[in-house]
Amino acid sequence: AGKNPYLAAGEESEGARMARRMVVTDYDPGWERAFRAEAKAIRRILGKNCVAVYHIGSTAVKGLSAKPIIDIMPIVRDLAAVDGCDAGFEALGYECCGEYGIAGRRFYRKGGDNRTHHVHIFERGNRQDIDRHLAVRDYLRSHPAEAEAYAALKRRLADQFPYDNDGYCDGKAAFVAALEQKAMQWHGQQNRQAAAMSLGMCFGMAVGTALGAAFGQLALGMCMGLSVGMCLGLAVGAARK
């Protein structure tokens, strides 16, 4: 099977060479500590080219059952420059896989048949892939019922396809595609709400400051302006959903 763009982070098909057993475990708080430790090492490898490192995928969602593989998404200024860092990743135990089926990415994996980490590097201008991964992560963090449904599906598929990664991934592709669509819609709503709130607060502060200064009650005017601005921002954001 070819690479499916709707598969979750780090779960691209590996076809016939796949011999690892599918293992889905309960959430482990140690996953977050493992991410932080690895992120520090990755930042050292990428140097000043690195602008951010995110924990993505199922292990980034508290309480979600997952394959115990840490998915990491560094964001860089220049993706082409990442190729010069392959030696550093290899020294850290990673296999360098190039784009590995997704244009505009550099993919690294660690642990061989006992996989422990996946690294997905994107250039900061690639908002489509960056936002897709972050939206799904944040949506699952905010919607526990969806997260549990996803966990139940993964546990069932791991039992059904214990040594078949293609079967496992194909079995959840439709769910992940629908999840991604809902997550992106939710992500857009969150962004619009935040923008409306910010504009409302700025407007309210400006009006409140002006009125407060005019009447010699600057602090009161600023507080009232901030409150009115927040209410205005919430109302506008809700109306635009």
Side-chain angles (χ1 to χ4, degrees):
K3 306 299 188 294
N4 188 325
Y6 292 113
L7 296 180
E11 293 184 337
E12 296 82 5
S13 167
E14 296 176 19
R17 70 180 294 271
M18 178 67 200
R20 294 179 293 126
R21 181 177 178 85
M22 291 287 108
V23 177
V24 173
T25 68
D26 291 339
Y27 177 78
D28 183 349
W31 290 341
E32 180 62 27
R33 294 190 295 271
F35 159 73
R36 289 197 298 266
E38 201 75 1
K40 289 181 180 179
I42 290 170
R43 283 183 178 276
R44 287 195 295 269
I45 293 171
L46 295 173
K48 294 181 179 179
N49 192 28
C50 183
V51 297
V53 182
Y54 295 100
H55 189 185
I56 60 171
S58 295
T59 61
V61 181
K62 187 175 181 180
L64 179 59
S65 299
K67 293 194 294 185
I69 302 172
I70 309 302
D71 282 291
I72 301 171
M73 184 173 69
I75 308 304
V76 296
R77 295 180 173 87
D78 181 6
L79 187 65
V82 173
D83 295 332
C85 300
D86 282 357
F89 278 101
E90 288 173 346
L92 199 59
Y94 282 92
E95 177 186 358
C96 308
C97 303
E99 289 187 338
Y100 201 66
I102 297 180
R105 175 181 73 163
R106 294 296 182 271
F107 180 63
Y108 301 83
R109 58 192 180 191
K110 183 177 183 178
D113 288 341
N114 296 311
R115 193 71 51 80
T116 59
H117 299 77
H118 289 148
V119 175
H120 318 252
I121 304 179
F122 296 102
E123 195 166 273
R124 60 181 172 183
N126 184 356
R127 297 311 313 176
Q128 179 179 354
D129 284 314
I130 295 170
D131 289 348
R132 175 169 60 89
H133 286 301
L134 295 179
V136 171
R137 181 199 68 180
D138 294 344
Y139 180 81
L140 288 173
R141 285 176 172 178
S142 301
H143 296 78
E146 290 271 7
E148 180 51 40
Y150 187 31
L153 174 62
K154 289 191 293 181
R155 288 192 293 265
R156 179 174 63 79
L157 290 171
D159 290 338
Q160 185 177 355
F161 302 103
Y163 292 100
D164 180 3
N165 193 63
D166 287 345
Y168 175 86
C169 291
D170 290 346
K172 67 192 190 79
F175 184 97
V176 173
L179 172 63
E180 180 179 302
Q181 184 177 23
K182 288 185 286 187
M184 290 299 290
Q185 291 174 349
W186 174 82
H187 182 68
Q189 291 172 356
Q190 296 296 111
N191 285 343
R192 289 190 293 273
Q193 181 73 70
M197 178 69 75
S198 178
L199 288 173
M201 290 174 65
C202 289
F203 174 78
M205 283 289 288
V207 173
T209 299
L211 290 175
F215 290 96
Q217 297 289 335
L218 183 59
L220 178 61
M222 291 176 66
C223 289
M224 291 182 64
L226 182 61
S227 298
V228 171
M230 290 178 65
C231 293
L232 178 62
L234 286 171
V236 171
R240 294 181 64 186
K241 285 186 178 180

